[in-house]
Short mmCIF file of all heavy atoms in Angstrom, two decimals:
data_model
loop_
_atom_site.label_atom_id
_atom_site.label_comp_id
_atom_site.label_asym_id
_atom_site.label_seq_id
_atom_site.Cartn_x
_atom_site.Cartn_y
_atom_site.Cartn_z
N MET A 1 88.92 89.57 76.82
CA MET A 1 90.20 88.95 77.14
C MET A 1 90.36 87.64 76.36
O MET A 1 91.42 87.37 75.82
CB MET A 1 90.26 88.72 78.66
CG MET A 1 91.54 88.15 79.13
SD MET A 1 92.78 89.43 79.18
CE MET A 1 94.05 88.63 80.06
N ILE A 2 89.28 86.86 76.32
CA ILE A 2 89.34 85.58 75.61
C ILE A 2 89.58 85.82 74.12
O ILE A 2 90.33 85.08 73.48
CB ILE A 2 88.02 84.79 75.81
CG1 ILE A 2 87.76 84.59 77.29
CG2 ILE A 2 88.01 83.51 75.03
CD1 ILE A 2 88.01 83.26 77.85
N GLU A 3 88.95 86.86 73.58
CA GLU A 3 89.12 87.15 72.15
C GLU A 3 90.57 87.48 71.84
O GLU A 3 91.10 87.08 70.80
CB GLU A 3 88.23 88.32 71.72
CG GLU A 3 86.74 88.04 71.81
CD GLU A 3 86.18 88.35 73.18
OE1 GLU A 3 86.93 88.82 74.06
OE2 GLU A 3 84.98 88.12 73.39
N ILE A 4 91.23 88.20 72.74
CA ILE A 4 92.64 88.55 72.54
C ILE A 4 93.50 87.30 72.54
O ILE A 4 94.37 87.12 71.68
CB ILE A 4 93.11 89.53 73.64
CG1 ILE A 4 92.36 90.86 73.51
CG2 ILE A 4 94.61 89.75 73.57
CD1 ILE A 4 92.61 91.81 74.66
N VAL A 5 93.25 86.41 73.49
CA VAL A 5 94.03 85.17 73.58
C VAL A 5 93.83 84.33 72.33
O VAL A 5 94.80 83.83 71.73
CB VAL A 5 93.65 84.38 74.86
CG1 VAL A 5 94.32 83.03 74.88
CG2 VAL A 5 94.01 85.18 76.10
N VAL A 6 92.58 84.16 71.90
CA VAL A 6 92.30 83.37 70.70
C VAL A 6 92.93 84.03 69.48
O VAL A 6 93.53 83.35 68.63
CB VAL A 6 90.78 83.18 70.51
CG1 VAL A 6 90.47 82.55 69.17
CG2 VAL A 6 90.21 82.33 71.64
N GLY A 7 92.83 85.34 69.38
CA GLY A 7 93.44 86.05 68.26
C GLY A 7 94.94 85.86 68.21
O GLY A 7 95.53 85.63 67.15
N LEU A 8 95.60 85.92 69.37
CA LEU A 8 97.04 85.70 69.41
C LEU A 8 97.41 84.26 69.04
O LEU A 8 98.41 84.02 68.36
CB LEU A 8 97.60 86.04 70.80
CG LEU A 8 97.70 87.53 71.11
CD1 LEU A 8 98.03 87.75 72.57
CD2 LEU A 8 98.74 88.18 70.22
N LEU A 9 96.60 83.33 69.48
CA LEU A 9 96.86 81.93 69.12
C LEU A 9 96.74 81.72 67.61
O LEU A 9 97.59 81.07 67.00
CB LEU A 9 95.90 80.99 69.86
CG LEU A 9 96.16 80.80 71.35
CD1 LEU A 9 95.03 80.01 71.98
CD2 LEU A 9 97.48 80.09 71.56
N VAL A 10 95.69 82.28 67.02
CA VAL A 10 95.50 82.16 65.57
C VAL A 10 96.64 82.85 64.83
O VAL A 10 97.21 82.31 63.88
CB VAL A 10 94.13 82.73 65.15
CG1 VAL A 10 94.02 82.84 63.63
CG2 VAL A 10 93.01 81.87 65.71
N PHE A 11 97.01 84.06 65.29
CA PHE A 11 98.12 84.78 64.66
C PHE A 11 99.41 83.97 64.74
O PHE A 11 100.14 83.86 63.75
CB PHE A 11 98.32 86.15 65.32
CG PHE A 11 99.55 86.86 64.85
CD1 PHE A 11 99.58 87.46 63.61
CD2 PHE A 11 100.69 86.90 65.65
CE1 PHE A 11 100.73 88.11 63.16
CE2 PHE A 11 101.84 87.54 65.21
CZ PHE A 11 101.84 88.14 63.97
N GLY A 12 99.69 83.41 65.90
CA GLY A 12 100.91 82.61 66.07
C GLY A 12 100.91 81.39 65.16
O GLY A 12 101.92 81.05 64.55
N PHE A 13 99.77 80.74 65.05
CA PHE A 13 99.67 79.55 64.19
C PHE A 13 99.89 79.91 62.73
O PHE A 13 100.69 79.28 62.03
CB PHE A 13 98.29 78.90 64.39
CG PHE A 13 98.10 77.66 63.58
CD1 PHE A 13 98.76 76.49 63.91
CD2 PHE A 13 97.25 77.66 62.47
CE1 PHE A 13 98.59 75.34 63.16
CE2 PHE A 13 97.08 76.51 61.72
CZ PHE A 13 97.74 75.35 62.06
N VAL A 14 99.21 80.96 62.27
CA VAL A 14 99.35 81.38 60.87
C VAL A 14 100.77 81.88 60.61
O VAL A 14 101.37 81.58 59.57
CB VAL A 14 98.31 82.48 60.53
CG1 VAL A 14 98.57 83.08 59.16
CG2 VAL A 14 96.90 81.90 60.59
N PHE A 15 101.34 82.61 61.57
CA PHE A 15 102.68 83.13 61.40
C PHE A 15 103.69 82.00 61.22
O PHE A 15 104.57 82.05 60.36
CB PHE A 15 103.07 84.00 62.60
CG PHE A 15 104.44 84.59 62.51
CD1 PHE A 15 104.68 85.65 61.66
CD2 PHE A 15 105.48 84.10 63.27
CE1 PHE A 15 105.94 86.21 61.56
CE2 PHE A 15 106.75 84.65 63.18
CZ PHE A 15 106.97 85.71 62.33
N HIS A 16 103.55 80.94 62.02
CA HIS A 16 104.48 79.82 61.90
C HIS A 16 104.25 79.02 60.62
O HIS A 16 105.16 78.37 60.11
CB HIS A 16 104.41 78.92 63.14
CG HIS A 16 105.09 79.52 64.32
ND1 HIS A 16 106.45 79.64 64.42
CD2 HIS A 16 104.60 80.08 65.45
CE1 HIS A 16 106.78 80.21 65.56
NE2 HIS A 16 105.66 80.50 66.20
N LEU A 17 103.04 79.07 60.07
CA LEU A 17 102.78 78.40 58.80
C LEU A 17 103.44 79.15 57.64
O LEU A 17 103.99 78.51 56.73
CB LEU A 17 101.27 78.30 58.54
CG LEU A 17 100.52 77.23 59.32
CD1 LEU A 17 99.04 77.29 58.96
CD2 LEU A 17 101.06 75.85 59.02
N VAL A 18 103.38 80.48 57.65
CA VAL A 18 103.93 81.25 56.52
C VAL A 18 105.40 81.62 56.71
O VAL A 18 106.03 82.09 55.79
CB VAL A 18 103.11 82.54 56.27
CG1 VAL A 18 101.67 82.21 55.94
CG2 VAL A 18 103.20 83.50 57.43
N LYS A 19 105.95 81.37 57.89
CA LYS A 19 107.33 81.74 58.18
C LYS A 19 108.34 81.18 57.17
O LYS A 19 109.24 81.92 56.76
CB LYS A 19 107.68 81.30 59.61
CG LYS A 19 109.00 81.78 60.11
CD LYS A 19 109.13 81.40 61.58
CE LYS A 19 110.57 81.24 61.96
NZ LYS A 19 110.73 80.74 63.31
N PRO A 20 108.23 79.94 56.75
CA PRO A 20 109.22 79.43 55.77
C PRO A 20 109.18 80.15 54.43
O PRO A 20 110.16 80.11 53.68
CB PRO A 20 108.84 77.96 55.60
CG PRO A 20 108.01 77.61 56.77
CD PRO A 20 107.34 78.88 57.21
N TYR A 21 108.08 80.81 54.11
CA TYR A 21 107.94 81.45 52.80
C TYR A 21 108.32 82.94 52.83
O TYR A 21 108.25 83.61 51.81
CB TYR A 21 106.51 81.30 52.29
CG TYR A 21 106.09 79.85 52.24
CD1 TYR A 21 105.21 79.32 53.17
CD2 TYR A 21 106.60 79.00 51.26
CE1 TYR A 21 104.85 77.99 53.14
CE2 TYR A 21 106.24 77.66 51.22
CZ TYR A 21 105.37 77.17 52.16
OH TYR A 21 105.01 75.85 52.12
N ILE A 22 108.68 83.45 54.01
CA ILE A 22 109.07 84.86 54.13
C ILE A 22 110.53 84.98 53.67
O ILE A 22 111.37 84.16 54.05
CB ILE A 22 108.89 85.35 55.58
CG1 ILE A 22 107.41 85.28 55.97
CG2 ILE A 22 109.42 86.77 55.75
CD1 ILE A 22 107.14 85.62 57.42
N PRO A 23 110.86 85.98 52.86
CA PRO A 23 112.23 86.14 52.37
C PRO A 23 113.24 86.28 53.51
O PRO A 23 112.92 86.81 54.58
CB PRO A 23 112.19 87.43 51.55
CG PRO A 23 110.76 87.66 51.24
CD PRO A 23 109.96 87.00 52.32
N THR A 24 114.46 85.80 53.28
CA THR A 24 115.49 85.81 54.33
C THR A 24 115.92 87.23 54.70
O THR A 24 116.48 87.44 55.77
CB THR A 24 116.71 85.01 53.89
OG1 THR A 24 117.17 85.51 52.64
CG2 THR A 24 116.38 83.54 53.75
N GLN A 25 115.67 88.21 53.82
CA GLN A 25 116.03 89.59 54.15
C GLN A 25 115.22 90.10 55.33
O GLN A 25 115.61 91.06 55.99
CB GLN A 25 115.81 90.54 52.96
CG GLN A 25 116.70 90.26 51.77
CD GLN A 25 116.08 89.22 50.83
OE1 GLN A 25 115.04 88.65 51.13
NE2 GLN A 25 116.74 88.99 49.70
N LEU A 26 114.10 89.48 55.57
CA LEU A 26 113.23 89.92 56.66
C LEU A 26 113.48 89.15 57.96
O LEU A 26 112.68 89.23 58.88
CB LEU A 26 111.76 89.78 56.25
CG LEU A 26 111.32 90.63 55.06
CD1 LEU A 26 109.89 90.32 54.70
CD2 LEU A 26 111.49 92.10 55.35
N ALA A 27 114.58 88.42 58.03
CA ALA A 27 114.88 87.62 59.22
C ALA A 27 114.89 88.45 60.51
O ALA A 27 114.34 88.00 61.52
CB ALA A 27 116.19 86.87 59.04
N PRO A 28 115.50 89.64 60.52
CA PRO A 28 115.45 90.43 61.77
C PRO A 28 114.02 90.79 62.17
O PRO A 28 113.68 90.77 63.35
CB PRO A 28 116.25 91.69 61.44
CG PRO A 28 117.12 91.30 60.31
CD PRO A 28 116.36 90.28 59.53
N LEU A 29 113.18 91.09 61.19
CA LEU A 29 111.79 91.41 61.48
C LEU A 29 111.06 90.21 62.07
O LEU A 29 110.28 90.34 63.03
CB LEU A 29 111.07 91.89 60.22
CG LEU A 29 109.60 92.24 60.38
CD1 LEU A 29 109.44 93.43 61.31
CD2 LEU A 29 108.97 92.52 59.03
N ILE A 30 111.33 89.04 61.53
CA ILE A 30 110.72 87.81 62.05
C ILE A 30 111.13 87.60 63.50
O ILE A 30 110.31 87.24 64.36
CB ILE A 30 111.11 86.60 61.18
CG1 ILE A 30 110.49 86.75 59.80
CG2 ILE A 30 110.68 85.30 61.83
CD1 ILE A 30 110.97 85.72 58.81
N THR A 31 112.41 87.83 63.80
CA THR A 31 112.89 87.67 65.17
C THR A 31 112.17 88.62 66.11
O THR A 31 111.77 88.23 67.22
CB THR A 31 114.41 87.92 65.23
OG1 THR A 31 115.04 87.06 64.28
CG2 THR A 31 114.96 87.65 66.59
N VAL A 32 111.98 89.86 65.69
CA VAL A 32 111.30 90.85 66.53
C VAL A 32 109.84 90.44 66.74
O VAL A 32 109.33 90.50 67.86
CB VAL A 32 111.39 92.26 65.90
CG1 VAL A 32 110.48 93.23 66.61
CG2 VAL A 32 112.82 92.74 65.91
N VAL A 33 109.18 90.02 65.67
CA VAL A 33 107.77 89.61 65.78
C VAL A 33 107.65 88.42 66.73
O VAL A 33 106.75 88.39 67.59
CB VAL A 33 107.19 89.28 64.39
CG1 VAL A 33 105.83 88.61 64.52
CG2 VAL A 33 107.08 90.53 63.55
N GLU A 34 108.54 87.44 66.62
CA GLU A 34 108.49 86.29 67.52
C GLU A 34 108.73 86.70 68.97
O GLU A 34 108.07 86.20 69.88
CB GLU A 34 109.51 85.24 67.09
CG GLU A 34 109.10 84.46 65.87
CD GLU A 34 110.13 83.40 65.50
OE1 GLU A 34 111.34 83.62 65.75
OE2 GLU A 34 109.72 82.37 64.96
N ALA A 35 109.68 87.60 69.18
CA ALA A 35 109.97 88.06 70.54
C ALA A 35 108.77 88.78 71.15
O ALA A 35 108.41 88.54 72.30
CB ALA A 35 111.20 88.96 70.54
N VAL A 36 108.15 89.65 70.36
CA VAL A 36 106.96 90.37 70.85
C VAL A 36 105.83 89.39 71.14
O VAL A 36 105.16 89.48 72.18
CB VAL A 36 106.53 91.45 69.82
CG1 VAL A 36 105.16 92.01 70.16
CG2 VAL A 36 107.57 92.55 69.76
N PHE A 37 105.61 88.45 70.23
CA PHE A 37 104.55 87.46 70.41
C PHE A 37 104.78 86.63 71.67
O PHE A 37 103.87 86.42 72.46
CB PHE A 37 104.47 86.55 69.18
CG PHE A 37 103.42 85.49 69.28
CD1 PHE A 37 102.08 85.80 69.14
CD2 PHE A 37 103.77 84.18 69.55
CE1 PHE A 37 101.11 84.83 69.25
CE2 PHE A 37 102.81 83.20 69.66
CZ PHE A 37 101.48 83.53 69.51
N ASN A 38 106.03 86.17 71.88
CA ASN A 38 106.34 85.37 73.06
C ASN A 38 106.17 86.18 74.34
O ASN A 38 105.70 85.66 75.35
CB ASN A 38 107.75 84.81 72.95
CG ASN A 38 107.85 83.72 71.91
OD1 ASN A 38 106.86 83.09 71.56
ND2 ASN A 38 109.04 83.50 71.40
N THR A 39 106.55 87.46 74.29
CA THR A 39 106.39 88.32 75.47
C THR A 39 104.92 88.51 75.81
O THR A 39 104.52 88.41 76.97
CB THR A 39 107.07 89.68 75.23
OG1 THR A 39 108.44 89.46 74.88
CG2 THR A 39 106.99 90.55 76.45
N ILE A 40 104.11 88.79 74.80
CA ILE A 40 102.67 88.97 75.03
C ILE A 40 102.06 87.68 75.58
O ILE A 40 101.25 87.71 76.51
CB ILE A 40 101.97 89.42 73.74
CG1 ILE A 40 102.41 90.84 73.38
CG2 ILE A 40 100.45 89.37 73.89
CD1 ILE A 40 101.94 91.31 72.02
N ALA A 41 102.45 86.55 75.01
CA ALA A 41 101.92 85.26 75.49
C ALA A 41 102.31 85.02 76.94
O ALA A 41 101.50 84.55 77.75
CB ALA A 41 102.43 84.13 74.60
N LEU A 42 103.55 85.36 77.31
CA LEU A 42 104.00 85.18 78.68
C LEU A 42 103.22 86.08 79.63
O LEU A 42 102.78 85.64 80.70
CB LEU A 42 105.50 85.48 78.79
CG LEU A 42 106.10 85.39 80.18
CD1 LEU A 42 106.03 83.96 80.69
CD2 LEU A 42 107.53 85.88 80.17
N ILE A 43 103.02 87.33 79.24
CA ILE A 43 102.27 88.27 80.08
C ILE A 43 100.83 87.78 80.27
O ILE A 43 100.29 87.81 81.38
CB ILE A 43 102.30 89.69 79.47
CG1 ILE A 43 103.71 90.26 79.58
CG2 ILE A 43 101.29 90.61 80.14
CD1 ILE A 43 103.92 91.54 78.80
N LEU A 44 100.20 87.32 79.19
CA LEU A 44 98.82 86.81 79.30
C LEU A 44 98.76 85.57 80.20
O LEU A 44 97.82 85.41 80.99
CB LEU A 44 98.26 86.49 77.92
CG LEU A 44 97.88 87.70 77.08
CD1 LEU A 44 97.46 87.27 75.69
CD2 LEU A 44 96.78 88.49 77.74
N ARG A 45 99.79 84.69 80.10
CA ARG A 45 99.81 83.52 80.97
C ARG A 45 99.90 83.92 82.43
O ARG A 45 99.21 83.35 83.30
CB ARG A 45 101.00 82.62 80.62
CG ARG A 45 100.60 81.47 79.74
CD ARG A 45 101.75 80.53 79.50
NE ARG A 45 102.20 80.78 78.13
CZ ARG A 45 103.44 80.86 77.73
NH1 ARG A 45 104.42 80.69 78.55
NH2 ARG A 45 103.73 81.10 76.48
N VAL A 46 100.74 84.91 82.73
CA VAL A 46 100.88 85.38 84.11
C VAL A 46 99.57 85.99 84.60
O VAL A 46 99.13 85.71 85.72
CB VAL A 46 102.04 86.40 84.21
CG1 VAL A 46 102.03 87.10 85.56
CG2 VAL A 46 103.37 85.72 83.97
N ILE A 47 98.94 86.81 83.76
CA ILE A 47 97.66 87.43 84.15
C ILE A 47 96.61 86.36 84.43
O ILE A 47 95.89 86.42 85.43
CB ILE A 47 97.19 88.41 83.06
CG1 ILE A 47 98.10 89.64 83.03
CG2 ILE A 47 95.74 88.83 83.29
CD1 ILE A 47 97.83 90.57 81.86
N ILE A 48 96.52 85.36 83.57
CA ILE A 48 95.54 84.30 83.75
C ILE A 48 95.84 83.51 85.02
O ILE A 48 94.92 83.17 85.80
CB ILE A 48 95.50 83.38 82.51
CG1 ILE A 48 94.89 84.16 81.34
CG2 ILE A 48 94.71 82.10 82.79
CD1 ILE A 48 95.01 83.45 80.01
N ASP A 49 97.13 83.23 85.29
CA ASP A 49 97.49 82.52 86.52
C ASP A 49 97.12 83.32 87.76
O ASP A 49 96.65 82.76 88.75
CB ASP A 49 98.99 82.19 86.54
CG ASP A 49 99.34 81.04 85.61
OD1 ASP A 49 98.41 80.32 85.19
OD2 ASP A 49 100.54 80.87 85.32
N VAL A 50 97.34 84.62 87.72
CA VAL A 50 96.99 85.48 88.86
C VAL A 50 95.49 85.47 89.08
O VAL A 50 95.02 85.36 90.22
CB VAL A 50 97.52 86.91 88.64
CG1 VAL A 50 96.91 87.88 89.63
CG2 VAL A 50 99.03 86.94 88.73
N ILE A 51 94.72 85.58 88.00
CA ILE A 51 93.25 85.56 88.12
C ILE A 51 92.78 84.23 88.71
O ILE A 51 91.93 84.20 89.61
CB ILE A 51 92.60 85.84 86.75
CG1 ILE A 51 92.84 87.29 86.34
CG2 ILE A 51 91.10 85.53 86.79
CD1 ILE A 51 92.41 87.62 84.93
N ILE A 52 93.35 83.13 88.23
CA ILE A 52 92.96 81.81 88.76
C ILE A 52 93.32 81.69 90.23
O ILE A 52 92.54 81.18 91.04
CB ILE A 52 93.61 80.69 87.92
CG1 ILE A 52 92.97 80.65 86.53
CG2 ILE A 52 93.50 79.34 88.61
CD1 ILE A 52 93.63 79.71 85.56
N THR A 53 94.50 82.19 90.60
CA THR A 53 94.91 82.14 92.00
C THR A 53 93.97 82.96 92.88
O THR A 53 93.56 82.51 93.96
CB THR A 53 96.36 82.65 92.15
OG1 THR A 53 97.21 81.88 91.32
CG2 THR A 53 96.82 82.56 93.59
N ILE A 54 93.62 84.17 92.43
CA ILE A 54 92.70 85.01 93.19
C ILE A 54 91.35 84.33 93.35
O ILE A 54 90.76 84.32 94.44
CB ILE A 54 92.56 86.40 92.52
CG1 ILE A 54 93.86 87.18 92.66
CG2 ILE A 54 91.39 87.17 93.11
CD1 ILE A 54 93.89 88.47 91.87
N LEU A 55 90.85 83.73 92.27
CA LEU A 55 89.56 83.03 92.35
C LEU A 55 89.63 81.85 93.31
O LEU A 55 88.68 81.60 94.08
CB LEU A 55 89.12 82.57 90.96
CG LEU A 55 88.70 83.69 90.00
CD1 LEU A 55 88.41 83.11 88.63
CD2 LEU A 55 87.51 84.44 90.54
N ASN A 56 90.74 81.11 93.31
CA ASN A 56 90.89 79.99 94.23
C ASN A 56 90.95 80.46 95.68
O ASN A 56 90.38 79.82 96.57
CB ASN A 56 92.14 79.17 93.88
CG ASN A 56 91.92 78.31 92.66
OD1 ASN A 56 90.79 77.95 92.33
ND2 ASN A 56 92.99 77.99 91.98
N VAL A 57 91.63 81.58 95.92
CA VAL A 57 91.69 82.12 97.28
C VAL A 57 90.30 82.56 97.72
O VAL A 57 89.87 82.27 98.85
CB VAL A 57 92.70 83.30 97.35
CG1 VAL A 57 92.55 84.07 98.66
CG2 VAL A 57 94.12 82.79 97.19
N LEU A 58 89.58 83.26 96.84
CA LEU A 58 88.22 83.69 97.19
C LEU A 58 87.32 82.48 97.43
O LEU A 58 86.48 82.50 98.33
CB LEU A 58 87.66 84.58 96.08
CG LEU A 58 88.28 85.96 95.96
CD1 LEU A 58 87.70 86.67 94.75
CD2 LEU A 58 88.06 86.77 97.22
N LYS A 59 87.48 81.44 96.62
CA LYS A 59 86.66 80.24 96.80
C LYS A 59 86.96 79.61 98.16
O LYS A 59 86.05 79.11 98.82
CB LYS A 59 86.98 79.24 95.68
CG LYS A 59 86.07 78.04 95.66
CD LYS A 59 86.28 77.20 94.41
CE LYS A 59 87.61 76.48 94.48
NZ LYS A 59 87.83 75.56 93.38
N GLY A 60 88.21 79.69 98.60
CA GLY A 60 88.56 79.15 99.91
C GLY A 60 88.05 80.02 101.05
O GLY A 60 87.82 79.54 102.15
N LEU A 61 87.91 81.33 100.80
CA LEU A 61 87.47 82.25 101.86
C LEU A 61 85.97 82.24 102.07
O LEU A 61 85.49 82.53 103.16
CB LEU A 61 87.92 83.67 101.53
CG LEU A 61 89.39 84.01 101.69
CD1 LEU A 61 89.65 85.43 101.25
CD2 LEU A 61 89.83 83.81 103.12
N ILE A 62 85.22 81.92 101.04
CA ILE A 62 83.75 81.99 101.12
C ILE A 62 83.19 81.13 102.24
O ILE A 62 82.34 81.60 103.02
CB ILE A 62 83.11 81.66 99.75
CG1 ILE A 62 83.38 82.82 98.79
CG2 ILE A 62 81.62 81.40 99.88
CD1 ILE A 62 82.93 82.57 97.37
N PRO A 63 83.61 79.87 102.43
CA PRO A 63 83.05 79.08 103.54
C PRO A 63 83.37 79.69 104.91
O PRO A 63 82.58 79.57 105.84
CB PRO A 63 83.71 77.71 103.40
CG PRO A 63 84.13 77.66 101.97
CD PRO A 63 84.46 79.06 101.58
N THR A 64 84.52 80.33 105.06
CA THR A 64 84.87 80.91 106.36
C THR A 64 84.08 82.17 106.65
O THR A 64 83.94 82.55 107.82
CB THR A 64 86.38 81.21 106.42
OG1 THR A 64 86.71 82.19 105.42
CG2 THR A 64 87.20 79.97 106.20
N LEU A 65 83.58 82.84 105.63
CA LEU A 65 82.82 84.07 105.84
C LEU A 65 81.37 83.81 106.19
O LEU A 65 80.71 84.66 106.78
CB LEU A 65 82.90 84.96 104.59
CG LEU A 65 84.30 85.48 104.22
CD1 LEU A 65 84.23 86.24 102.90
CD2 LEU A 65 84.83 86.38 105.31
N THR A 66 80.85 82.65 105.83
CA THR A 66 79.43 82.38 106.09
C THR A 66 79.23 81.65 107.40
O THR A 66 80.10 81.09 107.98
CB THR A 66 78.83 81.53 104.95
OG1 THR A 66 79.58 80.34 104.80
CG2 THR A 66 78.86 82.32 103.66
#
């Protein structure tokens, strides 16, 4: 999971570096790539938040179980 997140971060960084040099004919493709990238980033953020919330709930439950 961490490798995917790091890979997406690197891809996003490199993509924004080379974006000014991409021909304007490819503007629709750039828009689609950015939309897909932003959607994947949002989904990963939600998944990470859910995992952190579950871990915090479990951490709170452990003292009550013992």
Side-chain angles (χ1 to χ4, degrees):
M1 182 78 168
I2 303 256
E3 295 87 2
I4 295 172
V5 173
V6 171
L8 285 171
L9 287 172
V10 170
F11 172 76
F13 181 72
V14 171
F15 181 74
H16 285 289
L17 283 179
V18 300
K19 188 174 153 186
Y21 305 106
I22 297 175
T24 54
Q25 295 88 354
L26 298 176
L29 179 65
I30 294 172
T31 305
V32 169
V33 170
E34 284 182 329
V36 168
F37 179 75
N38 288 337
T39 304
I40 292 171
L42 177 65
I43 291 170
L44 286 175
R45 261 185 255 138
V46 169
I47 290 172
I48 291 170
D49 285 344
V50 167
I51 290 172
I52 290 173
T53 303
I54 291 171
L55 290 175
N56 284 335
V57 167
L58 289 175
K59 187 171 72 175
L61 286 177
I62 288 174
T64 62
L65 296 175
T66 56

